[in-house]
Amino acid sequence: MEVSFALTGKDYVIIAADQNAARSIIKMKGDEDKIKALGSHLLMAYSGEPGDTIQFAEYVERNLRLQQMRNNHPLRPQAAASWVRRSIADSLRSRNSYSVNILLGGYDMAENTPKLYWMDYLGTQSDVPYAAHGYGSYFALSLLDREVQKRLVISFPSFRVKVVDAEGVREVDVDMSV
Amino acid sequence: MSIMEYNGGSVVAMVGKNCVAIASDLRLGNQALTIATNFEKVFPVTDRIMLGMAGLASDVLTLRDRFRLLVNMYTIKEEREIEPETFAHLVSSTLYEKRFGPYFIEPIIAGLSKGSNKPFIASTDVIGCINFAKGFVVCGTATDKLFGVAESLWEPDLEPEDLFETISQTLMNAVDRDAFSGWGVVVHVITPEKAFTRYLRARMD
Amino acid sequence: MPHQERRFNPYTENGGTILAIAGEDFTVIAGDTRQSEGYNIQTRYAPKVFRLTDKAVLAVNGFAADGNMFVQKVQQRLEWYAHAHNKPMPLKAIARLIQTMLYAKRFFPYYVYNILGGIEEDGSGAVYSFDPVGSYEREACRAAGAAQSLVQPFLDNQIYFKNQLPPPGGAHPRHLPLNDVLSLVIDSFTGATERHIEVGDGLEIYIVLAPNKSSVELERLPGVKRIQGTFDIAGDASPDVTAAAAAVGVTGEKMFVMRRELKKD
């Protein structure tokens, strides 16, 4: 019952994810951050099996950090996406696979273009202009349309929204009362 | 729910006179939900060989990368480009390696051999059993439709432009009757002189 | 041990494919003649296409026993109609009759896909296709049966000109000439025979011509046989005779059957 959205603009990517941490009918937490900054110009929204998500996100975070320290240079979004996808695909055929769905958004400083990758737990990857995971994906085409709030059956009280552009990563506040 | 139909998609390849063509649709879906409409399923292997794969999208990407590695290793070791027939056997053995836990894709190989420019096409099943067909090979969720149309439209010794028209019409009309394939198609034609790629405007539904 | 119930299954699939195409003033209805169950060929000649009236032909595909029974029941209803009204039932009325007969068995259906072809009262060629419970539609062409998925996209391309651009400044033809249609039917079945194991052996093509359409060209083709109508009016009949015949619904449609061999492997 999680949702995450992302879309690319002319020179930025914007990512939003709900903030609920729930076990079946019980809501544990309402301020969970499900979007990680994987570098100065890379964001990753993750959802899926609780436990797997955080474990995998931190695994990715530390490995990309290691790459950056070794090479004195961060991976570009395309390369990071390939690495993340491969990690998921390899784990899928292992004894314990990660059930994690990912939206990876970044700003490519070499090409000066925003990049967004949609990935699911099977290791499916797609380079897309806008994307969503969870039930929200059925509204993907009407993304940012205010109808999403009205029509979505599970209406979340709040969203955490982060932007990545040439200036880097930053968080934006959204007023959900509109 | 069949894994082979989870993401949807179809590929077809045809032989012409001193040329081959290979084409795929562009849809990537999660069952009935369309995720992307820019998902190509045909990849260059060398300047004169292309590999198409339909099935589980994750495995399509994994194998695309794996074959790039294997072909690069071959080129370095042998100090020459791989031949289409050799590549078909490379594909076959790579898939058979996973005989009891297979990759969920069916590949199609299309290419021209180096010396003679002889056109070559082949397909295999998920565990690498090769089908060396004469005229055309198909795979994916629109397999039966592709067989029906291709069987009636294809003829031997088509010139590159005629082959392009034949494979385009075959794929477009087949995927229009398949809910899991479509949203545009990409066609590659390889001739001894050049190779060209065209994206076609097709029904977008 | 959990009790396992064994239940009699009243249905089976007998393979084969049928196809019909409507022209401006003719209709072609075809079917292969192989009848199979699983990998076993029961017979190489079991007709699936039947003459109903002088201007209506019905093709049935699916469960052969249900198909044969259904055709008999339709023919019986048409005979009753002819006796009651002293004229054959018009095509569109037959189509509606078939719908009600199929829907009457909504909860124990005839496991059959029907395609009805013939000449409408206005002289136009018509094809009606049905699902097993009676949903129907008038169309220009339709394939059904085991090789429907092989044949229908080919027909979309060749009959409806799908994915083809019209000639500069022109439009696609709305109807194809009879010879082109016959070629497409034969190509469809040879193609389906090549790739589908349940299709083959023989091809039976019924051709129904509108009253004023010449049959000279058709009769010159090999393997074409005229099927005599109930009441026949010669082409040169006097206006009086023609008018009198028309009054009882005999309008002079001509019906032919064309047989072709298909591969038997």
Side-chain angles (χ1 to χ4, degrees):
Chain A
M1 288 293 189
E2 295 174 298
V3 286
S4 47
F5 304 109
L7 74 128
T8 55
K10 184 170 158 289
D11 54 3
Y12 64 90
V13 187
I14 189 163
I15 300 183
D18 72 88
Q19 302 194 89
N20 277 357
R23 293 296 108 86
S24 77
I25 54 163
I26 309 294
K27 180 171 160 183
M28 305 287 194
K29 209 161 172 266
D31 59 350
E32 177 92 332
D33 186 358
K34 301 176 187 178
I35 309 172
K36 251 192 188 334
L38 299 177
S40 58
H41 292 82
L42 197 61
L43 285 172
M44 180 173 78
Y46 48 91
S47 55
E49 191 68 34
D52 281 10
T53 50
I54 295 168
Q55 189 71 21
F56 183 73
E58 287 180 356
Y59 172 71
V60 170
E61 185 184 32
R62 287 351 300 175
N63 271 95
L64 292 184
R65 180 78 186 111
L66 179 63
Q67 294 259 5
Q68 187 173 345
M69 287 192 291
R70 275 182 177 163
N71 306 313
N72 211 238
H73 191 72
L75 284 182
R76 288 166 65 180
Q78 211 275 79
S82 285
W83 190 89
V84 174
R85 190 205 81 81
R86 191 51 183 269
S87 301
I88 298 174
D90 287 345
S91 106
L92 185 70
R93 286 172 200 276
S94 70
R95 193 188 285 266
N96 298 102
S97 61
Y98 290 114
S99 291
V100 189
N101 300 316
I102 280 167
L103 295 175
L104 191 77
Y107 192 81
D108 189 333
M109 294 298 281
E111 281 181 10
N112 274 311
T113 45
K115 283 282 184 189
L116 175 61
Y117 297 91
W118 180 96
M119 274 175 263
D120 71 4
Y121 72 100
L122 297 168
T124 316
Q125 189 205 63
S126 177
D127 181 346
V128 285
Y130 47 86
H133 273 303
Y135 286 106
S137 61
Y138 293 97
F139 297 90
L141 292 179
S142 52
L143 202 74
L144 275 205
D145 186 347
R146 289 237 286 254
E147 294 297 311
V148 173
Q149 285 294 311
K150 283 187 227 155
R151 286 200 224 167
L152 192 51
V153 188
I154 307 98
S155 171
F156 292 97
S158 63
F159 276 91
R160 203 173 268 266
V161 181
K162 296 184 188 182
V163 180
V164 53
D165 57 15
E167 321 287 51
V169 170
R170 72 194 134 87
E171 187 161 348
V172 284
D173 280 327
V174 278
D175 183 6
M176 300 294 288
S177 59
V178 199
Chain B
M1 189 201 83
S2 158
I3 300 184
M4 295 298 289
E5 281 148 34
Y6 183 76
N7 296 118
S10 302
V11 184
V12 55
M14 288 180 173
V15 163
K17 192 177 189 181
N18 298 119
C19 57
V20 285
I22 182 165
S24 82
D25 70 321
L26 295 176
R27 182 178 181 270
L28 169 72
N30 263 192
Q31 309 206 87
L33 175 70
T34 301
I35 298 296
T37 58
N38 59 356
F39 194 85
E40 295 187 35
K41 295 155 193 81
V42 180
F43 310 102
V45 176
T46 68
D47 286 350
R48 38 180 58 223
I49 304 173
M50 299 206 95
L51 168 68
M53 290 177 279
L56 189 71
S58 173
D59 287 348
V60 170
L61 298 173
T62 304
L63 283 166
R64 178 251 265 148
D65 296 349
R66 180 148 181 77
F67 287 127
R68 194 171 71 170
L69 171 83
L70 292 171
V71 168
N72 283 343
M73 293 307 288
Y74 181 97
T75 317
I76 293 165
K77 279 186 184 156
E78 298 279 326
E79 296 182 318
R80 65 186 169 89
E81 262 190 9
I82 197 167
E83 287 290 301
E85 202 163 331
T86 319
F87 180 66
H89 281 96
L90 177 71
V91 170
S92 169
S93 52
T94 306
L95 293 182
Y96 195 79
E97 234 168 54
K98 296 275 185 280
R99 171 63 179 82
F100 296 109
Y103 290 114
F104 297 102
I105 60 110
E106 288 177 338
I108 281 179
I109 299 106
L112 295 179
S113 45
K114 190 85 189 170
S116 57
N117 285 326
K118 210 169 80 70
F120 174 88
I121 54 161
S123 67
T124 89
D125 62 6
V126 288
I127 53 167
C129 174
I130 312 182
N131 162 222
F132 297 107
K134 296 163 267 99
F136 56 87
V137 282
V138 306
C139 70
T141 51
T143 292
D144 45 355
K145 287 115 182 165
L146 283 164
F147 268 130
V149 189
E151 190 63 58
S152 300
L153 290 189
W154 182 85
E155 57 187 43
D157 297 324
L158 289 162
E159 295 295 333
E161 280 302 324
D162 297 333
L163 184 68
F164 163 76
E165 196 61 33
T166 307
I167 198 169
S168 305
Q169 288 295 323
T170 301
L171 185 60
M172 283 194 290
N173 288 288
V175 300
D176 283 355
R177 283 278 176 185
D178 181 24
F180 295 119
S181 304
W183 284 94
V185 303
V186 57
V187 184
H188 308 269
V189 180
I190 309 169
T191 72
E193 296 77 37
K194 57 163 186 174
F196 61 85
T197 300
R198 289 179 189 153
Y199 294 84
L200 304 181
R201 277 187 66 87
R203 272 186 81 109
M204 301 301 256
D205 62 3
Chain C
M1 268 287 269
H3 174 68
Q4 254 212 283
E5 197 186 348
R6 292 221 154 263
R7 238 173 71 79
F8 168 64
N9 178 202
Y11 292 120
T12 188
E13 276 259 26
N14 296 108
T17 277
I18 52 173
L19 157 64
I21 300 170
E24 192 173 13
D25 50 6
F26 66 87
T27 300
V28 173
I29 307 96
D32 70 326
T33 63
R34 173 173 294 184
Q35 191 183 98
S36 58
E37 190 170 7
Y39 295 135
N40 176 40
I41 296 172
Q42 294 173 321
T43 169
R44 297 192 190 278
Y45 185 70
K48 279 193 281 288
V49 191
F50 302 92
R51 190 191 84 101
L52 293 180
T53 68
D54 291 357
K55 50 193 161 194
V57 173
L58 183 62
V60 287
N61 192 233
F63 177 25
D66 270 6
N68 292 325
M69 196 64 219
F70 185 69
V71 170
Q72 289 214 351
K73 295 227 170 196
V74 173
Q75 283 173 333
Q76 185 183 52
R77 292 289 293 269
L78 292 177
E79 192 176 323
W80 288 347
Y81 181 97
H83 286 135
H85 299 90
N86 192 222
K87 65 164 191 166
M89 191 186 278
L91 191 71
K92 67 168 183 186
I94 301 177
R96 181 59 67 87
L97 172 73
I98 289 173
Q99 166 168 74
T100 41
M101 290 177 68
L102 288 169
Y103 198 82
K105 283 179 60 65
R106 173 64 179 78
F107 297 108
F108 184 24
Y110 290 109
Y111 195 55
V112 169
Y113 285 88
N114 283 286
I115 300 178
L116 174 70
I119 303 297
E120 214 70 90
E121 280 174 304
D122 65 2
S124 61
V127 165
Y128 292 89
S129 63
F130 301 80
D131 80 351
V133 287
S135 285
Y136 78 110
E137 182 182 13
R138 186 182 165 178
E139 295 177 291
C141 79
R142 171 59 64 187
Q148 180 190 45
S149 59
L150 284 76
V151 175
Q152 193 65 50
F154 174 65
L155 261 28
D156 291 343
N157 187 221
Q158 298 292 313
I159 305 283
Y160 293 124
F161 297 99
K162 288 280 167 68
N163 293 112
Q164 286 193 259
L165 293 171
H172 291 306
R174 292 222 305 123
H175 295 287
L176 291 174
L178 179 56
N179 276 325
D180 293 16
V181 169
L182 288 174
S183 303
L184 286 173
V185 170
I186 293 168
D187 282 359
S188 297
F189 275 94
T190 40
T193 302
E194 201 66 43
R195 293 287 175 178
H196 201 113
I197 56 168
E198 292 172 4
V199 182
D201 293 329
L203 172 58
E204 213 160 54
I205 308 169
Y206 278 70
I207 303 135
V208 196
L209 301 184
N212 298 317
K213 188 164 170 66
S214 162
S215 60
V216 182
E217 224 182 317
L218 179 62
E219 276 170 295
R220 269 206 288 270
L221 294 172
V224 173
K225 210 179 78 194
R226 175 89 190 258
I227 297 175
Q228 287 305 119
T230 328
F231 313 93
D232 238 34
I233 351 172
D236 55 356
S238 68
D240 288 356
V241 175
T242 317
V248 289
V250 180
T251 37
E253 286 81 2
K254 289 188 279 284
M255 195 180 290
F256 298 84
V257 64
M258 181 173 171
R259 292 196 172 83
R260 285 282 185 282
E261 291 290 305
L262 290 174
K263 283 170 73 174
K264 288 174 174 53
D265 53 1

